[in-house]
Amino acid sequence: GGFNKASSWAEALPDPKLKEGAFMNLSRSYARDRPQEVGVWLEAHANEKYSAKAFENLGKRWSETDPQSSIDYFSNLPEGKSQEVGIKSSISNWAKKDPLAAGDWLNEKESGPQLDSALAAYANTVSIKDGGGAMEWAISISDEKLQQSTIKKVGQEWYRQDKESVEAWLPTSGLSEGAQKS
């Protein structure tokens, strides 16, 4: 019966686990070819637990073909989990395609907890080519636990690329001794 019939069926499911699975599968099946349609449908379900994976799928799939439209869509959602997972999944693909544009977009945003997962995704993605630049992004994460794990991952990647630069930077980094060893 197509997307309209399937989405109506998914919305009517009473069991939360079944509903979550149906939303996830619908977004996985339709998000790449019909992202705007899936986005319009999902808007009414923003920040619902059952729709989190569907929003993540939408961000991943949409940003594979049009990362700017994907990030614009998620930026206009109400703040919350749906916006966070969508921006995070969109920024990862955008950073692979055009790290400068994705970085510019992040620079225009006010940093804070709502952007932390996107900053971590961006830092992890760009660290493969520019460990030193990625470290600046990792340090800007406000959530201490996420910041530390991202710094560790980015730092290890950077160390593989340019051991001497990392060893010169570490003593002035302000990182704890344990973080420096990691």
Side-chain angles (χ1 to χ4, degrees):
F3 178 73
N4 289 335
K5 199 171 213 178
S7 60
S8 294
W9 170 81
E11 289 174 335
L13 289 170
D15 181 271
K17 288 286 184 198
L18 290 176
K19 192 172 199 168
E20 180 180 12
F23 271 64
M24 183 177 65
N25 286 328
L26 276 169
S27 67
R28 189 180 303 139
S29 298
Y30 290 97
R32 185 177 312 204
D33 297 328
R34 297 158 72 175
Q36 291 90 352
E37 187 175 351
V38 173
V40 167
W41 169 61
L42 284 175
E43 280 180 23
H45 306 279
N47 299 322
E48 297 291 343
K49 186 176 180 181
Y50 60 82
S51 66
K53 290 193 186 315
F55 278 101
E56 185 177 352
N57 283 335
L58 178 60
K60 285 178 185 174
R61 300 283 190 240
W62 196 346
S63 64
E64 288 171 353
T65 57
D66 189 353
Q68 182 68 56
S69 293
S70 177
I71 207 89
D72 289 346
Y73 166 81
F74 285 105
S75 296
N76 290 312
L77 283 179
E79 280 190 20
K81 192 70 174 170
S82 298
Q83 184 185 60
E84 180 186 337
V85 299
I87 288 176
K88 176 186 175 186
S89 58
S90 297
I91 208 77
S92 291
N93 278 333
W94 197 10
K96 289 174 192 169
K97 291 177 184 247
D98 190 350
L100 292 176
D104 287 345
W105 184 87
L106 285 167
N107 270 330
E108 292 172 4
K109 300 299 171 196
E110 187 175 323
S111 62
Q114 73 282 358
L115 206 57
D116 279 349
S117 62
L119 291 169
Y122 182 80
N124 288 325
T125 301
V126 300
S127 71
I128 295 165
K129 293 186 178 178
D130 180 12
M135 185 57 75
E136 293 179 34
W137 291 99
I139 290 170
S140 71
I141 297 169
S142 63
D143 177 83
E144 190 174 335
K145 188 175 178 181
L146 181 58
Q147 181 194 52
Q148 294 305 315
S149 68
T150 306
I151 285 172
K152 180 179 177 181
K153 185 175 180 184
V154 167
Q156 290 171 346
E157 182 63 41
W158 186 18
Y159 193 80
R160 282 190 280 278
Q161 296 166 11
D162 188 357
K163 179 181 175 182
E164 292 77 26
S165 292
V166 175
E167 288 176 347
W169 173 79
L170 275 173
T172 62
S173 69
L175 296 176
S176 69
E177 199 172 311
Q180 288 184 38
K181 286 179 182 179
S182 292

